[in-house]
């Protein structure tokens, strides 16, 4: 969930193995690993900037001002939460037909 909107929904195991939404990938990259070797090898993903106010969310995709994959379309229209694989829903134009 980002700024009050569900951006990805999937069975737990699938979500941890193959998160699709850039925000989910960012969150999961921050999860600590109990094994220090795995933790050192883990690639941390960070987003630039600060989260905007939830009462004045950006138009289009709410993540677009901070998303490294944002395109013009992302700032124009909010992507709907759509099933892209069986039981795996994502709200991101990267995975949806325009
Ligand atoms: S819709 Fe665009 S801005 Fe939003 S997460 Fe997907 S690529 Fe990034």
């Amino acid at each position: 969930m980002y700024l009050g909107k569900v951006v990805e929904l999937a069975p737990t195991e699938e979500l941890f193995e193959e998160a699709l939404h850039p925000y989910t990938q960012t969150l999961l990259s921050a999860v600590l690993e109990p094994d220090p070797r795995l933790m050192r090898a883990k690639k941390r993903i960070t987003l630039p900037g600060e989260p905007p106010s939830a009462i004045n969310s950006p138009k289009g995709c709410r993540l677009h001002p901070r998303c490294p994959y944002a395109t013009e379309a992302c700032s124009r229209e909010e992507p709907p939460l759509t099933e892209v694989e069986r039981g795996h829903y994502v709200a991101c134009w990267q995975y949806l037909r325009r």
Side-chain angles (χ1 to χ4, degrees):
M1 181 175 273
Y2 183 71
L3 292 177
K5 185 180 180 210
V6 174
V7 294
E8 187 162 6
L9 190 61
T12 307
E13 216 169 274
E14 185 173 333
L15 194 70
F16 275 81
E17 283 179 14
E18 195 184 357
L20 298 177
H21 196 278
Y23 188 63
T24 314
Q25 293 168 352
T26 300
L27 291 178
L28 291 180
S29 82
V31 174
L32 298 176
E33 294 285 349
D35 182 335
R37 285 173 299 167
L38 291 177
M39 192 63 206
R40 277 194 294 275
K42 192 169 184 173
K43 185 177 174 230
R44 177 83 164 88
I45 302 169
T46 56
L47 297 173
E50 296 293 323
S53 164
I55 57 171
N56 190 21
S57 304
K59 296 219 180 307
C61 174
R62 295 169 193 204
L63 188 64
H64 87 266
R66 305 178 67 205
C67 181
Y69 310 108
T71 64
E72 169 66 26
C74 301
S75 62
R76 274 190 273 117
E77 193 176 350
E78 187 170 36
L81 187 65
T82 305
E83 189 173 32
V84 293
E85 290 169 27
R86 191 168 184 199
H88 196 149
Y89 297 79
V90 65
C92 176
W93 288 123
Q94 287 188 98
Y95 304 98
L96 309 175
R97 288 199 174 153
R98 300 181 191 215

